[in-house]
Amino acid sequence: MSSKIILILMINIMSLNNLNHINDLKWTNRILVIINNEKFDFSKNIDSLRKEFDERDFTIVNVIKRNTYIHKKKMSKRFSKSVVSKIKSIESDNYIFLIGKDGQVKNSYPIDIKLETIF
């Protein structure tokens, strides 16, 4: 792994430590919140589309039993609570939520959607 990639990963991890609320991503990132379900594993699909997500300033937040994870790093309870409360207010049977750079929920999607559709 090149030193440039390692540096980028270290910067990403350090910036994750500074996230205390979903609004900390406002105006810089789109957020894709995925409520994980044992029947569907999104990690392979997300990894195959990583370049497309990065080009569009996406942060992928996985929710597992009211805990949130970004890049497989467990986020703080405060951050997790802010994410869960943001999507909890949306009446939906869907499991994927798109939050725009303005912090508003733009759309929700069924769990079996092809992720390319979100672009």
Side-chain angles (χ1 to χ4, degrees), residues 21-22 31-36 61-68 79-100 103-109:
H21 197 278
I22 194 169
I31 305 166
L32 194 64
V33 178
I34 299 173
I35 310 297
N36 281 306
V61 177
N62 290 293
V63 179
I64 303 171
K65 297 181 183 177
R66 301 183 72 80
N67 291 310
T68 57
F79 182 85
S80 296
K81 186 177 178 181
S82 71
V83 171
V84 171
S85 67
K86 171 73 85 176
I87 60 173
K88 187 179 178 182
S89 64
I90 308 299
E91 299 259 343
S92 175
D93 292 331
N94 293 329
Y95 291 86
I96 301 173
F97 298 87
L98 173 62
I99 299 173
Q104 300 301 311
V105 176
K106 301 299 182 184
N107 209 339
S108 64
Y109 305 94

Side-chain angles (χ1 to χ4, degrees), residues 39-99:
K39 296 178 184 177
F40 292 92
D41 180 12
F42 289 100
S43 58
K44 290 179 186 175
N45 291 342
I46 290 170
D47 288 343
S48 69
L49 296 169
R50 178 61 57 197
K51 181 180 176 186
E52 288 84 353
F53 281 118
D54 290 345
E55 288 173 350
R56 292 168 176 85
D57 299 324
F58 271 95
T59 295
I60 310 295
V61 177
N62 290 293
V63 179
I64 303 171
K65 297 181 183 177
R66 301 183 72 80
N67 291 310
T68 57
Y69 299 83
I70 298 177
H71 300 296
K72 299 181 183 177
K73 180 191 183 311
K74 186 175 181 182
M75 303 305 292
S76 71
K77 287 184 181 186
R78 184 170 183 231
F79 182 85
S80 296
K81 186 177 178 181
S82 71
V83 171
V84 171
S85 67
K86 171 73 85 176
I87 60 173
K88 187 179 178 182
S89 64
I90 308 299
E91 299 259 343
S92 175
D93 292 331
N94 293 329
Y95 291 86
I96 301 173
F97 298 87
L98 173 62
I99 299 173

Side-chain angles (χ1 to χ4, degrees), residues 5-22:
I5 293 173
I6 292 172
L7 179 62
I8 291 170
L9 289 173
M10 288 175 50
I11 291 170
N12 285 339
I13 290 170
M14 289 186 327
S15 65
L16 290 178
N17 292 332
N18 295 326
L19 293 177
N20 292 309
H21 197 278
I22 194 169

